[in-house]
Amino acid sequence: MLLITVVTLAAAVSAAPSNYPITNVFPLADGFPNPSPEQLLSIQKAAGGSLPNAPLPTTLSQNETTALKLLAHNELFEVAFFNELLTNITTNVPGYCVNDTAPLDRALLIKSIEAIKNQEELHAIGANAFLVNAKEAPIAPCQYIFPVSNFKNAILFAQVFTDLALGTIPAVQLLFGTDGGEGRRNVIALGSILGQEGQQDGFFRYAQRKTPSAAPFLTGGTASIAFNVLRKLIVQDSCPQPLSTIDLPVWGNPSWEQGGLWANGYVDKALRLPEPAWPLWISINPKLSAWGSLPFTEFGLDVGYDQSIVYLSGQNLPVVVPVGNISHVLSAPYTDFEALFPFEEAGFANGLTIAVLVNGKGPFANADEVANAVVDGPVIIERN
């Protein structure tokens, strides 16, 4: 008997201004997020496997509920992204045509993205089933912002948010395993999702001619880090259940929808307008100063010398770096400053590094201690 059932969800309908196209695609052609039993069977076939049929928890602790809400939001975001990516490729949208995806085998590429989309649909259905079985409301889709306009950047962006998922899921596993609730039975299921995300991340890296695995020990994160990334990719006020119902902190100045902490290499500020290649909280192979510093800009909050940048990379202890060269711009609501980026010196991992602005100088024993001190962030740095 299939114990995970499909729950009814409502799609978001409100809109908000954005520099990037807004995605509002639900329901999908396969019925997601409310597929019929027949549609669910088709989704499972396309995904390469079924939903788990083990009994679900009937109660969840507050922390477990928060974690599952975050996971459900993230899975819905991923479904929307991969659905749009698949549509762009199969309909030959400029930037996603044959020449744009070469030298990849186009038929295999389409088959792969289709499988990933359906797998993410089952992840979302499964997360919501856990919530519903514990008498919690399911998470419905929002509207999303995807900061890409071509296949090359889309695959890199998929790598970025999958790297974040790979860093977040172990933290959720630890929570479920130690929180004392029924959610401990989720640990193994989450481990299987972790493996699936790792497989697809290797595909995204290979598609960019990178080694499939970035590093021996991947960068870990926290639910708070993932939440503060995800909210930058959701159209403000577009969620049927406000994001404020998720019991996680909002960093930075809440009035700055896309603002906060930025870092994007040494570029002239004029180049930030009208549209940078990436949102400036994503830094790809950042260009450093001659002395190894990375430039940051903080929008909406003051920065002082009693604060620090903390880097999370690999499974190393958090690296605390003092801020320097602070420049308050009187005519604009931002502050420029710098911090060393000790990639080689500190043994940073290839792939994902997370940077946040914190109060104090540390030291911090782990990512959770860092999260408790965060003022703003994160900045997502991808190197190699």
Side-chain angles (χ1 to χ4, degrees):
M1 178 180 179
L2 185 66
L3 295 177
I4 288 185
T5 57
V6 179
V7 292
T8 301
L9 306 172
V13 296
S14 62
S18 170
N19 290 333
Y20 298 100
I22 294 171
T23 296
N24 183 24
V25 297
F26 297 104
L28 303 186
D30 60 10
F32 181 88
N34 306 311
S36 67
E38 293 77 17
Q39 289 173 318
L40 180 59
L41 289 174
S42 296
I43 292 170
Q44 291 179 140
K45 183 177 181 180
S50 67
L51 288 163
N53 60 3
L56 300 176
T58 57
T59 61
L60 294 168
S61 71
Q62 181 178 348
N63 287 337
E64 290 168 343
T65 299
T66 295
L68 279 169
K69 286 181 178 180
L70 174 63
L71 289 176
H73 266 295
N74 188 69
E75 299 296 355
L76 289 164
F77 161 80
E78 292 189 10
V79 170
F81 175 82
F82 289 117
N83 179 77
E84 184 167 298
L85 176 58
L86 183 64
T87 299
N88 288 345
I89 294 171
T90 55
T91 59
N92 292 303
V93 169
Y96 298 85
C97 300
V98 174
N99 290 340
D100 303 304
T101 60
L104 297 174
D105 182 296
R106 195 166 177 86
L108 178 59
L109 172 64
I110 291 172
K111 181 179 179 181
S112 300
I113 300 300
E114 184 174 15
I116 290 170
K117 178 188 79 77
N118 283 278
Q119 289 160 6
E120 300 300 349
E121 289 182 26
L122 294 185
H123 291 171
I125 292 170
N128 270 323
F130 276 94
L131 289 169
V132 169
N133 208 61
K135 298 180 175 57
E136 297 286 345
I139 300 300
C142 308
Q143 292 180 356
Y144 306 102
I145 304 165
F146 303 138
V148 296
S149 59
N150 57 69
F151 176 76
K152 178 181 177 181
N153 281 358
I155 288 295
L156 177 52
F157 183 56
Q159 177 200 320
V160 168
F161 65 69
T162 306
D163 283 347
L164 279 166
L166 290 170
T168 305
I169 293 173
V172 176
Q173 286 181 292
L174 179 62
L175 167 66
F176 283 159
T178 59
D179 207 43
E182 284 190 61
R184 63 185 179 275
R185 70 180 66 173
N186 298 347
V187 173
I188 294 175
L190 284 169
S192 71
I193 293 174
L194 184 66
Q196 183 270 347
E197 298 283 348
Q199 287 180 331
Q200 71 182 43
D201 204 32
F203 171 72
F204 301 146
R205 289 181 57 85
Y206 181 77
Q208 301 170 72
R209 296 177 173 268
K210 301 177 182 178
T211 58
S213 53
F217 300 98
L218 300 182
T219 297
T222 69
S224 298
I225 290 172
F227 176 68
N228 278 277
V229 169
L230 186 61
R231 71 183 186 87
K232 297 175 188 292
L233 300 168
I234 291 176
V235 177
Q236 195 171 26
D237 300 326
S238 73
C239 298
Q241 301 108 324
L243 291 178
S244 59
T245 62
I246 299 180
D247 188 21
L248 290 169
V250 173
W251 296 332
N253 186 334
S255 66
W256 291 88
E257 182 181 356
Q258 292 296 317
L261 186 65
W262 288 2
N264 212 39
Y266 276 84
V267 296
D268 189 295
K269 279 191 172 56
L271 298 179
R272 295 178 180 174
L273 300 173
E275 191 67 71
W278 290 98
L280 293 174
W281 53 270
I282 297 176
S283 187
I284 306 298
N285 293 321
K287 181 181 178 183
L288 307 180
S289 72
W291 50 92
S293 288
L294 181 62
F296 290 89
T297 299
E298 167 58 39
F299 276 75
L301 296 175
D302 289 332
V303 177
Y305 287 104
D306 57 340
Q307 296 174 325
S308 306
I309 286 291
V310 178
Y311 297 107
L312 301 175
S313 190
Q315 289 297 308
N316 298 319
L317 294 173
V319 175
V320 184
V321 176
V323 301
N325 293 334
I326 297 176
S327 174
H328 297 282
V329 182
L330 297 179
S331 61
Y334 61 78
T335 301
D336 289 331
F337 64 96
E338 297 180 0
L340 289 176
F341 183 65
F343 184 86
E344 298 291 346
E345 300 86 338
F348 285 4
N350 285 342
L352 174 67
T353 293
I354 298 167
V356 289
L357 179 68
V358 304
N359 283 323
K361 305 292 184 180
F364 301 100
N366 52 51
D368 287 327
E369 287 190 7
V370 173
N372 290 334
V374 169
V375 174
D376 206 354
V379 166
I380 302 305
I381 302 169
E382 287 280 349
R383 180 164 169 172
N384 304 331

